[in-house]
């Protein structure tokens, strides 16, 4: 499989189980991004996970969201082929409050070490 095929299959697999609650977070969308052949175009290959921020999550610092959510994501991510392919995961929060600092964080293969 090419990276694009891998990412598209991964996105479809995630989408099949949506909406899904991971920890205290609701995963609502997933899609692939890469240079060519993915659902969206980007220079580097990654899977986008889009979460719905609820109540206090809307304005808490993204570092706090990352600390809470990332361990749950690493459990599956670190077992995936994404690590060998050097494919990261972009974790986005689509409905953050106007005072929120950032709306996303990244999960990298090096996070699995």
């Amino acid at each position: 499989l090419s990276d694009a095929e891998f990412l598209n299959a991964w996105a479809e697999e995630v989408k099949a189980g949506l909406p899904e609650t991971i920890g205290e977070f609701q995963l609502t969308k997933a899609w692939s991004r890469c240079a060519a052949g993915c659902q969206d175009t980007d220079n580097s290959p990654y899977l986008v996970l889009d979460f719905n921020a609820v109540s206090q999550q809307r304005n808490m610092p993204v570092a706090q969201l990352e600390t809470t959510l990332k361990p749950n994501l690493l459990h599956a991510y670190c077992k995936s082929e994404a690590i060998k392919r050097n494919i990261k995961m972009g974790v986005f929060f689509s409905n953050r409050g106007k005072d929120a600092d950032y709306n996303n964080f990244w999960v990298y293969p090096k996070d699995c070490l």
Side-chain angles (χ1 to χ4, degrees), residues 13-77:
E13 186 182 318
V14 171
K15 281 194 267 194
L18 297 182
E20 180 184 358
T21 301
I22 298 175
E24 308 158 29
F25 301 88
Q26 187 180 42
L27 178 60
T28 56
K29 290 185 252 172
W31 65 95
S32 59
R33 295 193 69 147
C34 63
C38 288
Q39 292 157 314
D40 260 345
T41 305
D42 205 320
N43 292 335
S44 66
Y46 60 99
L47 179 71
V48 181
L49 298 179
D50 192 69
F51 286 85
N52 217 1
V54 294
S55 60
Q56 76 275 17
Q57 295 169 355
R58 290 179 199 254
N59 292 306
M60 70 174 49
V62 80
Q64 196 172 343
L65 297 174
E66 180 176 354
T67 301
T68 309
L69 180 56
K70 198 174 204 174
N72 293 318
L73 297 175
L74 286 174
H75 183 70
Y77 175 74

Side-chain angles (χ1 to χ4, degrees), residues 61-93:
V62 80
Q64 196 172 343
L65 297 174
E66 180 176 354
T67 301
T68 309
L69 180 56
K70 198 174 204 174
N72 293 318
L73 297 175
L74 286 174
H75 183 70
Y77 175 74
C78 292
K79 293 178 191 169
S80 77
E81 200 180 312
I83 308 312
K84 290 184 213 110
R85 292 174 175 268
N86 201 28
I87 291 174
K88 60 191 176 198
M89 202 167 8
V91 181
F92 288 78
F93 297 89

